[in-house]
């Protein structure tokens, strides 16, 4: 069960999903605009935010971007069918996942639970050059400085670094990190890899830790 901030401007859709998620046991705070959503977030931090992309005023992508400036809070975007540009922009803004509208409540509930499970992995401490991954405390540092990763970014890094030198397909990463396997969602993997590289690589444009295996996937290479 999770505390959820749900931002949706359509009253009927907002009421229906709020009721459905409440029936699933979640605690839902709903708002109609991006501005009100950010205000609610400042008043009380939820465990996850669900944002409709098409909001009046500040849209869902901008809300996600503002959240990401200082908070690894998990974010799921709701996007209209076929709006690939919205999906790409949302993932680049730091969203952990997206669900296509019209939304099936059970699908959304499953995605919520999957996103929240990503922060539950436990293991040991490993060092790769100046990058240190503490799997027990779920902390990552680079040159002694904390690296702020979202739960999804952290789980992706854990999955890649668990098998150094091994090439992992996008479909494998999608199944292990996002817990769903629709082939079209492979862009979730690519966008998340780019965000992780920006945080852990010395030169993100020339990555040395997370290598691209062309036409296949990605490989974590220990220095």
């Amino acid at each position: 069960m999770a505390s959820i901030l749900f931002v949706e401007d359509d009253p009927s859709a907002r009421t229906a999903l709020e009721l459905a998620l409440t029936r699933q046991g979640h605690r839902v705070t709903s708002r109609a605009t991006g501005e009100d959503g950010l205000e609610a977030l400042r008043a009380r931090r939820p465990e996850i935010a669900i944002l409709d992309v098409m909001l009046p005023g500040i849209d869902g992508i901008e809300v996600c971007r503002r959240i990401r400036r200082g908070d690894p809070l998990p974010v799921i975007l709701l996007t209209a069918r076929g709006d690939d540009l919205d999906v790409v922009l949302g993932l680049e803004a730091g969203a952990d996942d997206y669900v296509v509208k019209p939304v099936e409540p059970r699908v959304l509930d499953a995605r919520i639970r999957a996103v929240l499970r990503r922060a539950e992995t436990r293991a040991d401490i490993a060092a790769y050059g100046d990058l240190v991954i503490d799997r027990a405390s779920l902390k990552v540092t680079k040159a002694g400085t904390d690296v702020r990763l979202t739960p999804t970014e952290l789980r992706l890094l854990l999955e890649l670094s668990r098998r150094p030198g091994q090439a992992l397909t996008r479909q494998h990463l999608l199944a292990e990190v996002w817990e769903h396997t629709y082939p079209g969602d492979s862009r979730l993997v690519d966008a998340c890899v780019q965000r992780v590289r920006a945080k852990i690589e010395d030169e993100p444009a020339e990555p040395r830790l997370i290598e691209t295996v062309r036409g296949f996937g990605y490989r974590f290479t220990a220095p």
Side-chain angles (χ1 to χ4, degrees):
M1 312 308 170
S3 59
I4 298 170
L5 171 63
F6 176 41
V7 186
E8 164 66 70
D9 65 311
D10 185 314
S12 59
R14 185 172 65 249
T15 299
L17 276 179
E18 181 178 359
L19 180 59
L21 292 172
T22 300
R23 285 175 175 169
Q24 295 288 344
H26 301 297
R27 301 180 303 279
V28 183
T29 299
S30 62
R31 295 291 186 270
T33 68
E35 291 87 347
D36 288 347
L38 289 169
E39 184 177 341
L41 178 64
R42 287 190 290 268
R44 177 173 294 183
R45 186 184 187 276
E47 294 173 74
I48 188 169
I50 301 172
L51 311 172
D52 182 34
V53 169
M54 297 299 293
L55 294 172
I58 302 175
D59 66 20
I61 293 172
E62 179 60 24
V63 173
C64 178
R65 190 174 290 116
R66 293 189 187 190
I67 290 172
R68 279 291 169 268
R69 288 173 185 168
D71 194 334
L73 178 75
V75 174
I76 295 176
L77 293 179
L78 304 184
T79 180
R81 186 177 301 278
D83 285 349
D84 288 350
L85 179 59
D86 283 345
V87 172
V88 172
L89 290 175
L91 296 176
E92 290 177 347
D96 295 273
D97 204 347
Y98 69 94
V99 176
V100 174
K101 300 170 77 172
V103 179
E104 168 58 49
R106 291 184 180 179
V107 172
L108 181 57
D109 178 60
R111 295 290 184 93
I112 290 168
R113 295 172 190 271
V115 167
L116 292 175
R117 280 195 296 270
R118 291 170 199 168
E120 296 177 358
T121 307
R122 297 291 185 270
D124 53 356
I125 298 176
Y128 307 97
D130 63 357
L131 183 74
V132 177
I133 303 173
D134 186 337
R135 297 176 183 272
S137 64
L138 298 179
K139 288 185 60 179
V140 177
T141 60
K142 181 175 176 59
T145 301
D146 287 344
V147 178
R148 295 178 64 87
L149 297 170
T150 69
T152 304
E153 292 165 357
L154 176 60
R155 189 157 176 175
L156 177 66
L157 180 58
L158 291 176
E159 183 63 27
L160 285 166
S161 63
R162 189 175 288 114
R163 298 173 175 83
Q166 180 178 340
L168 302 177
T169 67
R170 290 175 173 84
Q171 285 303 108
H172 170 87
L173 293 169
L174 187 63
E176 292 297 318
V177 177
W178 283 267
E179 300 182 27
H180 50 86
T181 57
Y182 177 62
D185 285 350
S186 62
R187 54 192 167 186
L188 286 167
V189 180
D190 296 333
C192 196
V193 165
Q194 293 304 313
R195 299 200 307 264
V196 173
R197 281 173 170 167
K199 296 178 180 182
I200 69 169
E201 298 278 5
D202 292 333
E203 297 290 340
E206 299 179 3
R208 301 183 65 183
L209 291 170
I210 302 178
E211 298 180 344
T212 299
V213 181
R214 191 174 300 276
F216 190 79
Y218 297 96
R219 174 174 53 231
F220 187 88
T221 302

